[in-house]
Amino acid sequence: MGRPRPRVLSQTHRFAGTRRPRPGWLTFLNMFRQVTESWLFNENEDRHTVRMTIGPSGWPAWLEDGGGSRVPLKGSCSLGRSDANQVAIADDRVSRRHALIQVQGENEFWLVDFGSRNGTYLNEQRIIRPTRLRHGDRIKVGHAQFAFHQPQSMPRDSSKTVLADRTANDIRSAKCWLLVADIIGSTRLVKELPPDELPLLTGLWVAECKQTIEMHGGRINQFLGDGFFAYWHDRERIEISVSAALQTLQRLQEKGRPPFRFATHLGQVVIGGVSVGEEERISGREVHFAFRAEKLASKLSETRLLSETAWARLAALLEAREAGRHRLQGFDGEFGFYAF
């Protein structure tokens, strides 16, 4: 007899859990979570509704529950109590939109908690920031547990094959708005805040930043541990949406929970190349410039910094002051910046 074939889901994967009374919590957190969760669910989001016919060897990665059922990860995958999630977990300890596995970069899978009350656990530790997954990691959401599989034994020439199959149209140059954000003093927060409060604080911050960026037409392209990298495709009048997003982030900064800074740049980038899932691969010199600008903001003790190219388009929409001309590592000459 051959080996039994693993079970592969043919619809949204549902896991039974134990229904428990909800513990009390701060009213404002409940209200924020309800609003955020209702927004985070995208009605048009793809779900696993078609039976997969290929084996695990053809998947970049997958989740496997204790019963052997496997969920292929070919794009970002949401986990939560709502049936709208790719992985639906029937457990009152689980939030409606509890966590996300985001695909980014080259075969990178990141686990993100959206400020859930009971947390998301990775290898028995509650995550306090977006965290990259490794083969063999164990994820716990409520009473549901999953093993993350991403074998490193994939054919070494697979990336070459992918590149060979791409045409010149797959890699293109485009002007984009680039935003790099980072939490200030994350090490200090780890020391000062109670263990159960920090994950809630950072998770809600991630969720609200994601909501702000996406409702104004942008996307978070990468989570970076204590921060994120977001972008907008440049087009006519997009600066109005970018300005609205920046001002919303400014109001979020004023709450100071947690403190964070961000830098915004407008430049020509390279889009395309080898990527996984639905996130575009964005690279090039201007991306490095945006990251250097965020480091400069830290050096200048500025919480909001604009490059000259960004300010040229935003001058009619934002009030800002000159922050001087500065050199950036890896770039020749000096560049003007503005703080607002």
Side-chain angles (χ1 to χ4, degrees):
M1 295 180 61
R3 295 179 61 186
R5 298 182 64 184
R7 288 178 290 167
V8 182
L9 78 151
S10 56
Q11 56 184 356
T12 298
H13 207 19
R14 295 179 176 85
F15 294 89
T18 303
R19 295 283 185 183
R20 293 184 175 183
R22 294 180 181 275
W25 201 252
L26 296 176
T27 303
F28 85 94
L29 288 180
N30 282 329
M31 293 175 62
F32 173 77
R33 184 177 293 108
Q34 291 169 6
V35 172
T36 301
E37 288 176 349
S38 65
W39 183 89
L40 282 170
F41 167 51
N42 178 356
E43 295 287 350
N44 298 318
E45 191 173 49
D46 291 337
R47 288 193 279 169
H48 298 289
T49 56
V50 180
R51 180 176 295 278
M52 305 295 293
T53 58
I54 60 175
S57 61
W59 302 345
W62 66 92
L63 295 179
E64 183 170 348
D65 71 355
S69 293
R70 291 173 173 174
V71 184
L73 300 175
K74 291 194 169 184
S76 295
C77 175
S78 61
L79 302 90
R81 195 176 71 252
S82 169
D83 286 343
N85 294 286
Q86 281 84 1
V87 176
I89 304 168
D91 184 346
D92 273 347
R93 290 172 51 84
V94 177
S95 301
R96 288 182 65 252
R97 182 77 162 180
H98 192 103
L100 174 75
I101 296 176
Q102 168 144 322
V103 188
Q104 59 190 49
E106 295 185 17
N107 289 299
E108 292 185 9
F109 293 80
W110 286 64
L111 181 62
V112 183
D113 181 86
F114 287 134
S116 61
R117 177 184 297 109
N118 293 302
T120 300
Y121 289 79
L122 181 63
N123 301 323
E124 306 301 325
Q125 298 291 322
R126 184 170 180 170
I127 64 171
I128 60 175
R129 58 177 63 88
T131 305
R132 184 178 178 181
L133 293 170
R134 307 288 181 179
H135 178 61
D137 281 345
R138 303 200 66 82
I139 301 167
K140 183 179 180 183
V141 177
H143 293 292
Q145 299 190 49
F146 308 92
F148 172 76
H149 294 280
Q150 187 185 17
Q152 300 302 313
S153 57
M154 298 177 68
R156 184 174 296 272
D157 61 349
S158 60
S159 61
K160 296 180 181 179
T161 302
V162 173
L163 282 172
D165 289 341
R166 291 184 177 271
T167 66
N169 291 330
D170 289 318
I171 301 177
R172 64 192 189 279
S173 176
K175 183 176 284 188
C176 287
W177 293 80
L178 310 172
L179 185 148
V180 180
D182 193 34
I183 292 177
I184 299 172
S186 57
T187 302
R188 176 180 55 80
L189 291 175
V190 171
K191 296 178 180 179
E192 293 180 354
L193 294 179
D196 290 340
E197 184 177 343
L198 182 59
L200 183 64
L201 178 68
T202 56
L204 290 176
W205 174 74
V206 167
E208 191 161 5
C209 288
K210 178 179 171 69
Q211 174 181 347
T212 296
I213 298 296
E214 294 185 358
M215 74 184 298
H216 290 101
R219 285 187 68 86
I220 291 184
N221 184 259
Q222 293 183 46
F223 289 102
L224 305 165
D226 293 325
F228 59 86
F229 168 58
Y231 73 102
W232 289 258
H233 286 288
D234 190 36
R235 58 182 184 274
E236 186 177 1
R237 298 178 66 81
I238 188 62
E239 62 269 21
I240 298 174
S241 295
V242 174
S243 172
L246 299 185
Q247 292 178 74
T248 302
L249 290 175
Q250 179 181 359
R251 290 192 291 272
L252 183 58
Q253 282 180 324
E254 291 168 357
K255 298 178 182 179
R257 301 276 297 167
F260 69 99
R261 63 177 164 265
F262 60 87
T264 309
H265 177 51
L266 174 63
Q268 204 77 14
V269 301
V270 176
I271 299 178
V274 179
S275 61
V276 179
E278 68 273 23
E279 289 302 325
E280 296 179 295
R281 178 172 172 79
I282 301 177
S283 59
R285 186 174 176 80
E286 302 299 323
V287 174
H288 293 294
F289 187 98
F291 278 85
R292 294 297 185 191
E294 188 277 323
K295 296 299 183 186
L296 176 65
S298 174
K299 181 180 178 180
L300 299 177
S301 298
E302 297 285 359
T303 55
R304 297 174 297 277
L305 206 60
L306 300 171
S307 69
E308 276 186 311
T309 54
W311 171 241
R313 291 276 295 277
L314 293 170
L317 301 168
L318 291 175
E319 292 186 3
R321 56 180 170 79
E322 292 186 3
R325 300 188 65 82
H326 303 274
R327 293 182 176 275
L328 297 182
Q329 183 179 347
F331 294 85
D332 295 330
E334 294 183 340
F335 303 89
F337 290 90
Y338 296 80
F340 72 98

